[in-house]
Amino acid sequence: MWVSSLIALCLLAVAVSGEDKKLSTHATSMADTSANLAFNLYHNVAKEKGLENILISPVVVASSLGMVAMGSKSSTASQVKSVLKADALKDEHLHTGLSELLTEVSDPQTRNVTWKISNRLYGPSSVSFAEDFVKNSKKHYNYEHSKINFRDKRSAINSINEWAAKTTDGKLPEITKDVKNTDGAMIVNAMFFKPHWDEKFHHKMVDNRGFLVTRSHTVSVPMMHRTGIYGFYEDTENRFLIVSMPLAHKKSSMIFIMPYHVEPLDRLENLLTRQQLDTWISKLEERAVAISLPKVSMEVSHDLQKHLGELGLTEAVDKSKADLSNISGKKDLYLSNVFHASSLEWDTEGNPFDPSIFGSEKMRNPKLFYADHPFIFLVKDNKTNSILFIGRLVRPKGDKMRDEL
């Protein structure tokens, strides 16, 4: 009898441990904040980027702002919390909430994604990092700390790039070619993200096609194809197609938003808000979709210092106003650079697909989503509703083809 009771208890323990752990209210609050930050930051960066790719991880940016709040005092600290919409949160809850959120969404086992995140705070060679700050920023935000001497500027930049390449296994060979402001504290995020599809593409269903950067500029890219059941919505009024593809374990999804035809993305970007995205998602219909996607490898680096300043982080980035004295014990630092760099790959890899649906009624009359021109994409976490990445593919790697009419 006692044996069967023991077995029952063990099975119960396994079942409980296997359940999804509920997020704390502080982590949920930070998930909401980071989702709002995603669109504000994207719009700000898009103003300046022209015909360039964009790739931002809002949860990583939010975590970096949490680290800045930890290093700040007085009105500088209050302002960082305001940008994070966390004025009502105690500092302790802000840091534990952000830490919990990032740990949850980047767990490679539960999410079945490859996501390497490395963060480093560089300070001038004259700075001395406070022991408590080093310990707590490592604990909550996994930040490393390093002094750097910009007297030999080329050597210093090479050192930053070498660190980023090493921490991403060579996927991110260069963060920057230059550093304009060398007299302050510098944040560097270096990431490699590779999702795995819930249903893989067949590796033989890949061929070279043309991707229209503009109507007169086409590049050759490997394009992968498959037909499956996906969330699909066609906004006929605004002339956009939206498709949602679940990633492995269905904990998150990649959402693609593409105009009918090749055009600058400004029109779509002007409509893109969190509310509009929620509206589009609410209208998705699970149906057969024939998808063609470029097989992507992209490296994008942004200096977000100016953009964060324009979103309200005015004190921390101002040499004359910043109080980052929790970092060094002295009011001798400001936030001079925020390098946010990511390498992103998606290819054919994923879970085995279900062959039984082929030839079934479900697969009749598939909609077409042929991504051969610029589009916006997001990686949305289904548990926390946070945005893991937001970006656009405008100019994929590839050799230029003949000009189109």
Side-chain angles (χ1 to χ4, degrees), residues 164-179:
K166 182 179 179 182
T167 60
T168 58
D169 297 332
K171 298 292 185 178
L172 196 62
E174 185 176 85
I175 294 282
T176 185
K177 295 182 186 300
D178 191 21
V179 176

Side-chain angles (χ1 to χ4, degrees), residues 21-30 93 96-98 100-101:
K21 183 183 174 186
K22 191 174 180 181
L23 286 181
S24 70
T25 55
H26 313 309
T28 302
S29 171
M30 288 298 96
H93 295 154
T96 57
L98 283 169
E100 182 187 348
L101 173 64

